[in-house]
Amino acid sequence: MSVDEGVQRLKSEADEPGWEVDPDDDWGVAVVATVGRQLRLRREAVGMRAADFGVAVGYGEDMVYKLEGGKRIPRPEFLDKADEVLDAGGLLAAMKEDVAKVRYPRKVRELAMLESQAVELQLYDPLNIHGLLQTPEYARGLLLMRRPAYTQDEVERMVAGRMARKSVFERGPVPELSFVLEEWTLRRPLGGRRLLRAQLEHLLEVAQLRNVELQVMPMDREEHAGLAGGIEVLKFDDGSVVGRSPAMVNGRPVTERKQLRILELRYGIIRAQALTPRESTARIERLLGET
């Protein structure tokens, strides 16, 4: 199966009633179980069989039982339809907010929460274009290449979670965002040249935002302070800082001043070694012309 075929298949599966529940996500399991129980109780209260309810909402009987049993995460449009069919008076539709949160993996939710509160983000990924900068199609193409392979359900959930994090560009007050990208990640046509071209065009759009500084680390640099791995430094309005790097405590978040100083030192040197934002934009434009 080609990447394009995989993308189309994932898009079609995105129209299914819901995603599987992560069994290790205790809060998510509890939320989905509660929604399923309310759904079943409401259906039984109006005397409707599961098969008839399935016909009314356009789902099979087996899927209805999975949703009621908390085995699948219901989609918002399903809850709206179920509320209407079961005359729930908004009870089921009101659960969309909690369900929207658990549709994303727990680690993604935790990271998104930190990003949504930060006033400054310093981000460096030596292996890929950073997730906050990826287009949905590029992200899918990237995730499809993972070995051992993710399930199609896992890929779609991760893409959705990654795109939800991009709200950091839209919130107010806008945070200051600094990215350093490796030039090789902008050259390798992962998923095909069509996806790469769209990704490079997106980077040029993001680079125009006033609160974003996007820098490229060129491949011909003889000195490089980023060989120890990726870096994330998030700063908050109260003066607190959270950092993370695979080279430090196995990638777990750190708040200790000495560890944060090391991360900020490395990031500062990486930025100094990279092209300036204007030079970086010119480099991306040149790569786009060559792709």
Side-chain angles (χ1 to χ4, degrees), residues 13 18 37 40 42 46-47 51 66-67 72 78 81 100 147 150 160 162 169 180-181 184 213 248-249 251 261 274 286:
E13 289 179 351
R37 185 165 54 251
R40 177 178 57 81
R42 187 65 195 176
V46 298
K66 286 182 179 179
L67 290 165
R72 300 284 290 187
F78 165 78
K81 184 66 175 179
R147 296 295 183 273
Y150 289 122
R162 198 164 292 183
F169 290 102
V180 178
L181 306 176
W184 82 268
E213 287 200 353
M248 191 171 289
V249 296
R261 184 180 63 81
R286 193 184 82 189

Side-chain angles (χ1 to χ4, degrees), residues 201-254:
E201 290 170 349
H202 177 64
L203 291 178
L204 291 174
E205 292 176 4
V206 174
Q208 299 305 312
L209 298 176
R210 293 180 60 190
N211 62 313
V212 173
E213 287 200 353
L214 195 155
Q215 295 178 252
V216 173
M217 177 67 78
M219 293 177 61
D220 60 1
R221 282 291 187 262
E222 296 181 0
E223 297 179 337
H224 196 325
L227 299 182
I231 295 174
E232 295 180 7
V233 177
L234 280 64
K235 301 183 179 182
F236 301 90
D237 195 41
D238 62 0
S240 61
V241 182
V242 175
R244 190 172 66 167
S245 173
M248 191 171 289
V249 296
N250 296 319
R252 295 192 299 274
V254 297

Side-chain angles (χ1 to χ4, degrees), residues 123-134 138 178-187 199-200 202-204 206-207 212-219 221 224 267 270-271 273-275 280-281 283-284 287:
L123 306 163
Y124 166 66
D125 187 340
L127 300 177
N128 299 296
I129 295 173
H130 195 279
L132 285 176
L133 297 173
Q134 293 175 10
Y138 186 87
S178 169
F179 297 91
V180 178
L181 306 176
E182 289 291 339
E183 182 179 352
W184 82 268
T185 68
L186 308 180
R187 288 181 174 274
Q199 177 62 68
L200 293 177
H202 177 64
L203 291 178
L204 291 174
V206 174
V212 173
E213 287 200 353
L214 195 155
Q215 295 178 252
V216 173
M217 177 67 78
M219 293 177 61
R221 282 291 187 262
H224 196 325
Y267 190 77
I270 291 170
R271 289 191 66 184
Q273 293 171 333
L275 299 175
S280 297
T281 297
R283 181 64 59 95
I284 296 172
L287 293 174

Side-chain angles (χ1 to χ4, degrees), residues 78-96:
F78 165 78
L79 291 174
D80 284 333
K81 184 66 175 179
D83 196 283
E84 177 185 341
V85 170
L86 300 177
D87 193 25
L91 174 65
L92 297 176
M95 296 180 174
K96 288 188 295 184

Side-chain angles (χ1 to χ4, degrees), residues 32-33 36-37 64-72:
V32 177
R37 185 165 54 251
V64 170
Y65 283 127
K66 286 182 179 179
L67 290 165
E68 291 183 349
K71 304 299 183 184
R72 300 284 290 187

